[in-house]
Amino acid sequence: MAPSLFFMFCTWVVLLVTIHTSIAKPLCHADESSALMEFRRSFRINRIDFMCIYPKVESWSLDEHGDCCSWDGIECNKATGHVTGLDLSHSCLLGTLSSDTGLFRLLHLESLNLACNDFNSSSIPYGFGNLSKLQYLNLSCSNLSGKVPSDISLLSRLVSLDLNPFCDFEMTRGVYRWSILKMPNIDNFIQNLTMLRVLDLSFINMSSPFPHVLANFSSLKSLKLESCEFHGEFPVSIFQLPNLEALNIGSNYQLSGEVPISIGNLVFLNELSIRDCNISGSLPTSMGNLSQLAHLDLSFNKFHGQVRTFFANLTHLSYLDLSYNNFHGQVHTLFANLTHLSYLDLGDNNFSIGTGHWFVNLVKLTHLNLADCHLSGPITNSFENLTRLVWLQLSSNNLQGEIPNSLWELKDLEVLDLYGNNLSGTMDLHKLKELRTLDLSFNNISFVSKAEINATLPKLSNLYLDSCNLHEFPKLLGYLSTLEMISLPYNKIEGSIPMWMWNGSRESLIYVDLSHNFLTSFGNNQINLPLPKLAYLDISSNQLKTELPSPPPLVAFYNISHNFLFGEIQSICSGRSLVILDLSNNNLNSTIPPCVGKFDSLSILNLGKNKLEGMIPHAYPKCCLLEIIDLTKNRLQGPIPRSLANCKMLKYLNLAHNQILDGFPLWLSKLTELKVIILKSNKFHGPIEAYRSQFNFSNMHIMDLSYNSFSGELPSKLLQSFHAMKVIVSQDELEYMNTLENVTIYTLLFEYGMTLMNKGVETEYAKVPLALMQIDFSNNLFEGHIPALIGDLKSLILLNLSNNVLTGSIPPSLANLTLLESLDLSQNKLSGEIPQKLAQLTFLSSFNVSDNQLLGPIPQGSQFNTFAINSFAMNEGLCGSPLPKKCGTFGDDLPLPPSSQEEIGKESPFNLDWKIVLIGAGIGFLIGVILENLIIDEKSSWFLHWSKRMAKIWKRS
Ligand SMILES: *[C@@H]1O[C@H](CO)[C@@H](O)[C@H](O)[C@H]1NC(C)=O
Ligand SMILES: *[C@@H]1O[C@H](CO)[C@@H](O)[C@H](O)[C@H]1NC(C)=O
Ligand SMILES: *[C@@H]1O[C@H](CO)[C@@H](O)[C@H](O)[C@H]1NC(C)=O
Ligand SMILES: *[C@@H]1O[C@H](CO)[C@@H](O)[C@H](O)[C@H]1NC(C)=O
């Protein structure tokens, strides 16, 4: 530049600066700058908060010119100097957001963004209604709680409103904050906000029907109402909002309805998520018009039908999730042209993808889930060009043959799930440096020791090798330093649990499952595992012949059942965090230490089938949380400790097969949750009912008092208090014994089985349906009549009063027990006739009245045609088929009872071979519960993955 030109340039600059400064008197109004300073002073700066990016307020200061318009995060109107914009998002603020902090004196604000700070669970204050010029308000992701104040609804100029308490990245980072924002009346709240273009009220608890009024908000471009606890029908009219670009109503799992044809009108729609609702029907072909659609998530619903050809039209799709529905049909080339796809999840439908690997061209894919898609044949080189894959899930298919080497070249893979195929070959993991989760369960895959030693997988945190035919612990384990979960059940691993296994990951392991192997001991006889973070340990069903290992300090789930443990159980007292303790089926032979009553959070205590002796400790404090106690088959003596009455949540108490000496524990009647009492085969004695006894066992489902010495009359007041048995539960409402109050991830996963008598046979139930109502008072010394009121217990499935001293006749009211499958009154002194009406019991498949003093004709027809002679033997006066004795004059030609022949053998809802049915609630609900109970912890990413996996297994079972 020539000197003269340079001079001229400088002059211009000086001139401009002078003009500028002469106009620029301090823009900011003093009252507004002091309001801002006051606002600032009500917070501290927290630089270590995970949302903190930069504390803008640190640049604010009243000295110099004190012009607040030049401060970070402030915007002013150039003409008036009023503060119109305040953006303090991600500004590391920590403290209460309250009404008197100056904020609500900034009356000219048009835009306010306080997102992603930590307002310390304070409630949203009243005062926003003052800021009547607001057009933009963002309070998202700020740790606010309570009711959303109604004065926000006065801000009728609002164009954008975001109160979603979560940040997008929170879930992916596994950080879960409690959502405790509530909005009791959304219809009123939004009714005047008709200018809104952007509305996000996700994760605010509404507990209401979906707000139909939104259908009038024709300016809406983005509507996000995820997880608001809406229920009822989803309004079709929402699909008529002409400008809609983004719609997310996911995780409202009580929202039903169908996708209407009118969805085809939303030609600007870019994002649609109705994940995890209760939406059904098939997809309308009009969706082929949504040519702008880039993000489509329909997962976890009840969609069905053939997947339609219109998908081939949606060429902008980059995210497509159809998982967990009932879509079916050939997928083939339908998705083959969607080359922008980076996320494709078709898992858990009824697709048949077969062998044609049409996905080979989708080279942008980072996430591919084809779980449970009937994929078959070898993998070949299908994935060789999908080099961006981060997540590959091919579980539960029929893939066969060797895994090709090209799979081990996918260097970015973080999750590889090949669960449940027929794949073979050897693992060559050393290039997969990013791998976090590897699931090879239920395959025939082996490890090569050379490859193993080279393999350092610096990020591997979840390793699942269930049922992989392993005969020894993979050497690899000793080299992994970030492992959190290791799952090796159902292998053939023998010998001791080697100490080198914990070398790398002793500080990180949270979950260890070694159950169902042939393990006999701990390496170096070091029975206590050095795992300070362990929360879940399952070594059940092995052959451990050691003393009981002490539970690590954080262990919540501790299952070493079905081994040969011996000796004391005193060491259990170190398990301060136990929720589930199962040491059943061992040879433990000490007394029970009093500490078992004192664990803060123990829900399930199973010490059954050992050789424990002495008294049951009298040690249950007021805060006892126990729900299940099983001490069956030990050598316990003495009375039942009365302090058990403190366990207010107790549902199931099984003390069978011990030597307990006590009267009937009528004081348990205080425990209103109690559903099962099994006292079988002990030394209980005496009459149950005294003149003034009061009972309230209103929730009772199973009471087994058999093989004791109870005497006196059958307890009618007790039976009368069994209110739960008086209503018939419909099949859909089945619950299981293991549906616990104390819902934690552990109690959800634990399947509580029990042994019950079914038609004279001891039967193991993996899950016990609550509808399996039973009364077994057999083998006692009860005398007197059978009270007719037993006929009120309409949902009884089993009634056994055999081997007592009962007299009188069989009450005809037993014919009201229409679900009864098993009735045993044998070995008593019953007299009179068998009521003919009993032939109406069409589910009855086991019947025994032998060894009584009954007389007259045996009822004929229906189920009675199927009972053998033994059912009636040793009653001198009985006659008619199947007994050889004819009934003489009024015998054989008795009319058939009213119930028709067809009903014979009709399948009972609760018949012998109880089919294990899934818990009624949807998978989405389960995951919801799991998430709600997440320990708030950076580590909880494993939880997320794990709950997905559990959902997968539940779905399959
Ligand atoms: C909506 O606006 C109307 C008219 O301005 C007013 O009467 C009504 O109270 C407002 N409703 C709410 C909930 O703010
Ligand atoms: C695909 O889109 C074209 C035009 O964009 C349209 O004519 C056709 O009907 C669409 N096909 C389906 C199946 O929706
Ligand atoms: C995919 O694209 C190719 C080439 O453009 C075309 O021939 C084929 O019909 C398309 N497939 C589908 C299913 O639309
Ligand atoms: C991968 O890409 C190469 C080069 O474009 C091609 O030759 C090969 O056939 C592709 N592999 C598969 C399985 O499509």
Side-chain angles (χ1 to χ4, degrees), residues 579-580 603-604 738 740 742-750:
V579 176
I580 292 178
S603 278
I604 298 182
N738 53 326
L740 300 181
N742 181 10
V743 184
T744 65
I745 182 78
Y746 307 105
T747 45
L748 266 178
L749 293 180
F750 193 70

Side-chain angles (χ1 to χ4, degrees), residues 128 179 381 538 854:
F128 287 96
S179 162
N381 283 334
D538 190 348
L854 297 166

Side-chain angles (χ1 to χ4, degrees), residues 726-952:
K726 296 178 184 170
V727 281
I728 293 179
V729 190
S730 88
Q731 277 255 41
D732 325 342
E733 290 165 45
L734 285 183
E735 275 186 275
Y736 294 89
M737 218 50 243
N738 53 326
T739 325
L740 300 181
E741 299 298 317
N742 181 10
V743 184
T744 65
I745 182 78
Y746 307 105
T747 45
L748 266 178
L749 293 180
F750 193 70
E751 299 208 331
Y752 198 78
M754 60 173 108
T755 310
L756 293 171
M757 293 299 284
N758 205 330
K759 302 177 194 170
V761 185
E762 271 205 359
T763 311
E764 285 274 350
Y765 288 84
K767 289 183 178 180
V768 177
L770 291 182
L772 200 68
M773 309 267 184
Q774 308 201 355
I775 292 178
D776 190 343
F777 288 177
S778 66
N779 298 285
N780 278 287
L781 303 166
F782 289 115
E783 56 194 36
H785 293 214
I786 300 176
L789 58 85
I790 288 194
D792 297 341
L793 308 179
K794 287 197 282 290
S795 56
L796 267 186
I797 303 284
L798 177 146
L799 177 61
N800 188 350
L801 303 175
S802 68
N803 202 6
N804 280 291
V805 207
L806 299 172
T807 51
S809 55
I810 301 175
S813 65
L814 293 187
N816 298 340
L817 306 178
T818 52
L819 297 179
L820 204 64
E821 292 180 20
S822 175
L823 177 61
D824 191 345
L825 305 174
S826 64
Q827 302 183 66
N828 279 294
K829 298 198 156 61
L830 297 169
S831 53
E833 295 192 3
I834 303 174
Q836 295 294 325
K837 276 165 76 184
L838 292 189
Q840 294 169 14
L841 299 176
T842 50
F843 293 137
L844 201 61
S845 58
S846 165
F847 180 79
N848 194 349
V849 290
S850 64
D851 201 355
N852 275 293
Q853 295 156 14
L854 297 166
L855 49 86
I858 292 172
Q860 298 296 315
S862 193
Q863 293 300 97
F864 273 81
N865 290 352
T866 64
F867 303 138
I869 292 184
N870 308 349
S871 298
F872 307 98
M874 295 197 271
N875 285 283
E876 285 187 7
L878 281 182
C879 61
S881 168
L883 295 177
K885 185 174 165 194
K886 290 257 158 74
C887 286
T889 44
F890 50 159
D892 285 341
D893 42 27
L894 271 178
L896 277 181
S899 71
S900 73
Q901 285 283 339
E902 293 135 53
E903 286 185 272
I904 296 179
K906 195 162 83 176
E907 198 181 335
S908 137
F910 311 112
N911 212 342
L912 278 180
D913 311 309
W914 176 261
K915 291 192 194 77
I916 294 178
V917 189
L918 262 183
I919 299 172
I923 295 298
F925 165 71
L926 282 175
I927 291 184
V929 174
I930 291 168
L931 285 180
E932 273 182 34
N933 286 278
L934 273 184
I935 304 155
I936 302 167
D937 181 352
E938 285 279 342
K939 290 287 177 210
S940 46
S941 58
W942 70 272
F943 238 117
L944 282 173
H945 178 75
W946 192 36
S947 52
K948 268 201 158 182
R949 177 181 150 93
M950 290 321 297
K952 186 169 85 180

Side-chain angles (χ1 to χ4, degrees), residues 542-562:
N542 276 284
Q543 296 170 1
L544 288 175
K545 229 178 237 162
T546 67
E547 296 200 320
L548 176 68
S550 308
L554 296 184
V555 134
F557 182 107
Y558 198 55
N559 184 354
I560 317 190
S561 64
H562 297 269

Side-chain angles (χ1 to χ4, degrees), residues 312 333-334 337:
T333 54
L334 221 45
N337 283 358

Side-chain angles (χ1 to χ4, degrees), residues 363-518:
V363 295
K364 288 189 182 164
L365 280 177
T366 58
H367 183 122
L368 178 61
N369 181 2
L370 301 176
D372 214 348
C373 277
H374 302 107
L375 273 174
S376 57
I379 291 189
T380 64
N381 283 334
S382 316
F383 299 97
E384 73 176 347
N385 292 340
L386 308 189
T387 55
R388 298 190 195 176
L389 278 177
V390 168
W391 183 297
L392 178 58
Q393 209 172 344
L394 302 171
S395 46
S396 305
N397 282 294
N398 299 317
L399 293 168
Q400 285 160 2
E402 293 248 330
I403 300 177
N405 286 335
S406 57
L407 202 65
W408 311 125
E409 302 285 334
L410 300 174
K411 294 191 186 58
D412 292 338
L413 269 188
E414 291 177 17
V415 173
L416 177 59
D417 182 0
L418 302 176
Y419 179 106
N421 281 287
N422 234 330
L423 294 166
S424 58
T426 50
M427 304 291 304
D428 188 8
L429 296 170
H430 70 282
K431 288 185 186 158
L432 306 182
K433 299 277 191 247
E434 299 296 319
L435 208 57
R436 286 186 292 110
T437 295
L438 178 62
D439 194 341
L440 302 175
S441 302
F442 298 92
N443 276 291
N444 236 327
I445 294 169
S446 55
F447 289 82
V448 181
S449 43
K450 179 170 77 56
E452 276 186 56
I453 287 165
N454 289 339
T456 51
L457 298 167
K459 295 185 179 168
L460 194 67
S461 73
N462 309 309
L463 179 61
Y464 307 98
L465 301 170
D466 309 15
S467 187
C468 276
N469 216 0
L470 297 175
H471 288 260
E472 53 184 30
F473 288 102
K475 293 279 182 296
L476 173 80
L477 292 175
Y479 301 96
L480 300 171
S481 58
T482 49
L483 212 52
E484 293 177 1
M485 305 186 66
I486 164 89
S487 185
L488 296 167
Y490 298 98
N491 281 293
K492 297 173 180 158
I493 308 177
E494 295 175 11
S496 70
I497 302 171
M499 291 310 286
W500 58 254
M501 248 177 81
W502 321 116
N503 277 355
S505 305
R506 70 175 66 215
E507 296 296 330
S508 55
L509 273 168
I510 296 171
Y511 176 108
V512 172
D513 184 354
L514 307 177
S515 65
H516 300 274
N517 279 288
F518 302 103

Side-chain angles (χ1 to χ4, degrees), residues 150 153-154 188-189 191-192:
S150 57
S153 68
L154 301 172
N188 272 356
F189 184 86
Q191 102 190 328
N192 282 354

Side-chain angles (χ1 to χ4, degrees), residues 260-324:
I261 296 175
S262 58
I263 193 175
N265 300 334
L266 304 182
V267 289
F268 301 117
L269 204 62
N270 174 279
E271 177 190 341
L272 175 63
S273 173
I274 37 187
R275 176 189 178 81
D276 199 7
C277 294
N278 196 9
I279 310 285
S280 51
S282 57
L283 298 176
T285 47
S286 61
M287 285 182 75
N289 296 340
L290 307 179
S291 56
Q292 300 300 310
L293 207 57
H295 181 112
L296 179 59
D297 188 347
L298 304 177
S299 59
F300 292 96
N301 278 289
K302 292 183 177 158
F303 288 111
H304 59 80
Q306 195 104 9
V307 66
R308 306 291 189 94
T309 48
F310 68 75
F311 274 103
N313 252 18
L314 307 181
T315 52
H316 283 79
L317 274 182
S318 67
Y319 185 108
L320 176 59
D321 191 347
L322 302 179
S323 62
Y324 289 97

